[in-house]
Amino acid sequence: MLRATEKITALYCRLSVEDTKDEKKNGKEDPSNSIQHQQVMLMQYAKANRLPNPTYFIDDGYSGVTYDRPGFQKMLSEIEAGNVGTVITKDLSRLGRNSALTGLYINYTFPQYDVRYIAVNDHFDTIDPNSTDNDIAGIKNWFNEFFAKDTSRKIRAVNKAKGERGERLTTNIPYGYKANPDNPKEWAVDEEAAKIVKRIFTLCMEGKGPSQIAALLEKEKVLNPTAYKQREGRKTPHQTPENEYRWHESTVAYILEYMEYIGCTVNFKTYTNSIWDKKQRDNPMENRKIFYNTHPAIISLEVFDKVQEIRQQRHRRTATGKSNMFSGLVFCDDCKQKLYYSTTNYFEKRQDFFICSTHRTNKDKCSGHYIRAVVLEQEVWKHIQEVISVVTRYEAYFRSEMEEKLRVQSEETLRIHKKRLAQAEKRIGELDRLFIRSYEDNVSGKIDDERFAMMNKSYTQEQKDLKAEVISLQQVIEEQERQAENLEQFIQRVKRNSELTELTPYALRELVKAVYVEAPDKSSGKRKQKIHISYDLIGFIPVDVLTKAEQA
């Protein structure tokens, strides 16, 4: 430990971004709060009072509600090493705005290491513990904390109001966009980066996962988003990467889930618990605010939605590391569970196949639904070719037949789902009343705390499940009510793929939602298998719609 004459006098200066913003907003910016003014003031005080070895420790742009600040932590390390004799700040608020921790440092940490603490403007000096100014230091610390809380509330209120009316809250322009030169607040498409974004979505539609896409982009020496922005001279919150072509799997996954690429603004994606806990937590989708058509779209809504479906499906790989474009799309026609993609050696020849997941774990629950991958692809491609032929040659007939089929189906589906929706919403209301009644019974002593806690847990879980079901039902109802629009979208997708000569992963993902496989029929001595294809947007296409097209 250093001798008293050798110890340094720590001149601690702090200014937060919130302090500056709040002063500017109220039109009363105080130059005396600046870091430069604090430095001059503290140096003059140290020299006037002959305090030795004055040394600056500075935190410019750091909030006082946390002590995880580089300047403060560096000073604390010097204190714990026994190298500091005195700490000086302009006032108590510069040390911090967390009354509990500020008091802990002043009353415990500093005395423990024989450090004198001075807050100049508050006339606070630990060398004189009986001073009346020292007596009210706790009250001042509380007011400093209250000021921080009040400032935080104001900022949150302003951001909430801006976010509610659709103003974009993020200041970071995402990869694929750039600031509009005519209006810096608006986003314009960055054509070079947008091509990479589109390619990432296309690769996902073709069945590739984030790690495969990242590896491919790195192999092709495509600049990653941070390196690209730095090359273009744009601001980025990330440091310069060691390998400018290294794409991380998480970056690709983030791009694939970023709704702003369809031209919308999404506010309130994250939240923090309090001014003390700055950890960013994901907000549930129902708590976010989405505003559509706020800037040019890079990805169409239907492609984005299709990619989200693909992302939700787990693409099973075989022991050999292989995957199949049908992975996640094939289901058992009986138990409705997925068929696992597998590989086996059959007469010394490797063979890929799909097998019912239920049958694989419990043979008594479901029969052996099994289909070779090559047969599956042949049958699906054959059916898709029939659909393409009918749509391109007899579009009016196909539209008319499917409109009638969808109308009948929609009416029945809507009736069932609206009935269930009404039941779920009614039950949610009943649970609210039951909870209030049980709370009143608990307060009056009719039921004990243990019984109340059990009932409360049960009611809460049931209500949570019902609310999730309500959201799902509302989505189904909305989808059913858009059947005419969905049919037109499907017809356009088919026409886009009318020149196909073979089934591609992209076309499969764009057209097909699920394939259901029946158990093999061995009655004729041959293994005949039937598949049923549920097409995206419109579901199953009746056989007679395809077979009677020529007659119509």
Side-chain angles (χ1 to χ4, degrees):
M1 185 178 290
L2 299 175
R3 295 194 300 273
T5 54
E6 296 175 334
K7 290 186 177 183
I8 64 176
T9 298
L11 310 180
Y12 181 69
C13 310
R14 183 189 67 79
L15 185 67
S16 71
V17 175
E18 287 79 6
D19 289 332
T20 306
K21 284 182 178 179
D22 193 63
E23 289 171 358
K24 287 181 178 179
K25 193 180 296 179
N26 291 305
K28 54 176 184 179
E29 188 172 359
D30 184 3
S32 68
N33 256 348
S34 70
I35 289 293
Q36 293 75 15
H37 183 272
Q38 291 181 50
Q39 288 178 281
V40 172
M41 175 188 181
L42 297 184
M43 182 60 76
Q44 288 177 346
Y45 185 91
K47 288 181 177 179
N49 290 274
R50 297 183 178 181
L51 295 169
N53 304 324
T55 305
Y56 290 117
F57 295 89
I58 298 172
D59 282 316
D60 193 357
Y62 288 87
S63 172
V65 301
T66 175
Y67 278 91
D68 187 18
R69 317 173 213 139
F72 181 85
Q73 289 301 319
K74 184 179 178 181
M75 180 179 74
L76 188 60
S77 297
E78 293 292 342
I79 290 173
E80 292 173 345
N83 299 332
V84 178
T86 305
V87 172
I88 310 176
T89 62
K90 176 192 168 188
D91 53 42
L92 290 164
S93 71
R94 295 307 94 195
L95 186 65
R97 292 188 182 276
N98 183 321
S99 61
L101 288 178
T102 303
L104 183 66
Y105 281 113
I106 293 173
N107 299 317
Y108 178 75
T109 305
F110 292 168
Q112 182 184 16
Y113 293 97
D114 197 26
V115 173
R116 176 186 179 187
Y117 172 62
I118 301 169
V120 179
N121 285 356
D122 285 326
H123 308 292
F124 180 89
D125 191 339
T126 54
I127 203 169
D128 184 11
N130 296 319
S131 166
T132 54
D133 289 309
N134 285 20
D135 291 339
I136 64 172
I139 297 175
K140 287 185 176 180
N141 284 333
W142 182 87
F143 271 108
N144 289 333
E145 179 177 315
F146 173 80
F147 177 82
K149 287 181 177 178
D150 187 54
T151 301
S152 177
R153 276 194 291 267
K154 289 176 181 176
I155 293 172
R156 285 171 182 260
V158 169
N159 284 338
K160 188 174 188 299
K162 288 170 64 177
E164 292 281 356
R165 62 175 177 260
E167 290 188 36
R168 193 177 289 115
L169 297 181
T170 181
T171 57
N172 182 36
I173 300 178
Y175 179 71
Y177 289 99
K178 60 184 178 181
N180 187 337
D182 298 326
N183 185 349
K185 288 186 177 182
E186 293 181 354
W187 293 353
V189 174
D190 179 349
E191 295 298 340
E192 184 178 349
K195 287 180 182 177
I196 305 302
V197 173
K198 291 176 181 177
R199 181 142 186 263
I200 288 172
F201 274 82
T202 298
L203 290 169
C204 182
M205 287 278 283
E206 291 176 352
K208 289 183 171 57
S211 60
Q212 294 171 298
I213 296 172
L216 183 61
L217 294 174
E218 182 175 359
K219 183 180 178 181
E220 295 177 354
K221 294 191 177 302
V222 176
L223 288 174
N224 62 43
T226 300
Y228 176 78
K229 286 185 178 182
Q230 290 177 345
R231 189 198 74 179
E232 296 296 304
R234 299 175 197 163
K235 290 183 179 179
T236 173
H238 305 293
Q239 295 181 346
T240 303
E242 292 183 9
N243 181 355
E244 59 185 6
Y245 303 116
R246 174 79 170 91
W247 281 75
H248 289 279
E249 178 183 345
S250 58
T251 303
V252 176
Y254 180 80
I255 288 174
L256 290 171
E257 296 170 1
Y258 199 65
M259 285 191 68
E260 280 78 351
Y261 287 128
I262 62 173
C264 64
T265 294
V266 185
N267 288 331
F268 312 120
K269 289 182 179 180
T270 60
Y271 71 96
T272 55
N273 280 332
S274 69
I275 61 172
W276 317 123
D277 182 4
K278 295 294 185 181
K279 181 180 178 181
Q280 295 286 329
R281 293 172 171 82
D282 289 336
N283 229 349
M285 284 301 297
E286 59 266 26
N287 292 341
R288 301 182 187 186
K289 287 288 183 180
I290 303 175
F291 301 87
Y292 292 90
N293 302 317
T294 59
H295 54 268
I298 294 176
I299 304 298
S300 69
L301 179 59
E302 61 176 323
V303 169
F304 185 85
D305 287 343
K306 193 67 180 177
V307 164
Q308 303 321 301
E309 287 181 22
I310 295 171
R311 297 277 296 132
Q312 289 171 8
Q313 297 168 345
R314 299 275 183 171
H315 283 202
R316 184 180 176 85
R317 290 176 177 268
T318 65
T320 61
K322 293 174 62 179
S323 63
N324 186 279
M325 64 177 170
F326 283 93
S327 293
L329 293 180
V330 194
F331 296 84
C332 171
D333 195 52
D334 287 338
C335 68
K336 308 306 180 187
Q337 296 301 305
K338 286 184 179 179
L339 266 61
Y340 284 164
Y341 176 53
S342 304
T343 296
T344 188
N345 288 325
Y346 183 69
F347 293 121
E348 299 182 355
K349 183 179 180 182
R350 191 174 299 279
Q351 183 171 278
D352 300 337
F353 64 95
F354 287 85
I355 187 169
C356 174
S357 56
T358 304
H359 177 76
R360 193 170 187 175
T361 55
N362 190 333
K363 295 181 180 180
D364 295 331
K365 283 192 173 182
C366 191
S367 59
H369 290 62
Y370 165 102
I371 188 169
R372 288 191 297 144
V374 64
V375 174
L376 176 67
E377 182 174 345
Q378 289 171 354
E379 293 299 315
V380 172
W381 176 226
K382 179 181 177 182
H383 199 276
I384 288 177
Q385 284 179 302
E386 289 183 34
V387 173
I388 291 175
S389 175
V390 170
V391 169
T392 53
R393 296 167 62 198
Y394 310 104
E395 182 179 335
Y397 161 78
F398 180 82
R399 180 182 287 105
S400 174
E401 290 294 310
M402 288 303 299
E403 280 178 350
E404 178 61 20
K405 176 255 181 185
L406 292 173
R407 183 189 64 78
V408 174
Q409 176 183 293
S410 178
E411 288 177 355
E412 180 62 16
T413 302
L414 284 172
R415 184 187 65 79
I416 295 171
H417 283 79
K418 285 183 177 180
K419 180 180 179 181
R420 177 55 192 154
L421 178 63
Q423 291 172 341
E425 290 175 336
K426 180 181 178 182
R427 180 58 180 167
I428 290 172
E430 290 174 352
L431 289 169
D432 284 334
R433 292 189 290 274
L434 285 171
F435 176 80
I436 294 171
R437 190 182 307 159
S438 63
Y439 175 77
E440 292 172 346
D441 288 345
N442 176 249
V443 172
S444 64
K446 291 182 180 180
I447 60 174
D448 57 29
D449 291 343
E450 185 179 352
R451 176 72 173 169
F452 172 71
M454 182 186 72
M455 294 170 66
N456 181 32
K457 183 179 179 180
S458 175
Y459 292 156
T460 302
Q461 184 59 49
E462 184 182 356
Q463 196 169 61
K464 181 181 178 180
D465 293 341
L466 285 168
K467 286 181 178 178
E469 184 183 2
V470 164
I471 293 173
S472 177
L473 287 168
Q474 288 172 338
Q475 290 174 344
V476 172
I477 290 171
E478 289 175 6
E479 185 177 337
Q480 291 296 317
E481 291 175 341
R482 294 197 307 266
Q483 285 291 4
E485 179 185 338
N486 290 345
L487 177 58
E488 288 304 318
Q489 286 186 25
F490 178 77
I491 290 173
Q492 294 308 313
R493 289 188 190 182
V494 172
K495 291 165 77 172
R496 279 203 301 267
N497 291 282
S498 61
E499 302 298 323
L500 284 180
T501 56
E502 62 178 354
L503 184 59
T504 64
Y506 190 96
L508 176 67
R509 295 288 171 179
E510 189 175 35
L511 297 175
V512 175
K513 186 172 185 179
V515 181
Y516 293 88
V517 178
E518 289 188 7
D521 180 9
K522 303 177 184 178
S523 59
S524 63
K526 295 183 179 180
R527 293 174 61 89
K528 293 183 178 179
Q529 287 179 273
K530 289 185 179 179
I531 63 168
H532 307 283
I533 302 176
S534 175
Y535 286 92
D536 197 30
L537 299 173
I538 63 170
F540 298 100
I541 300 175
V543 176
D544 59 350
V545 172
L546 301 178
T547 57
K548 295 179 180 178
E550 292 280 357
Q551 300 173 13

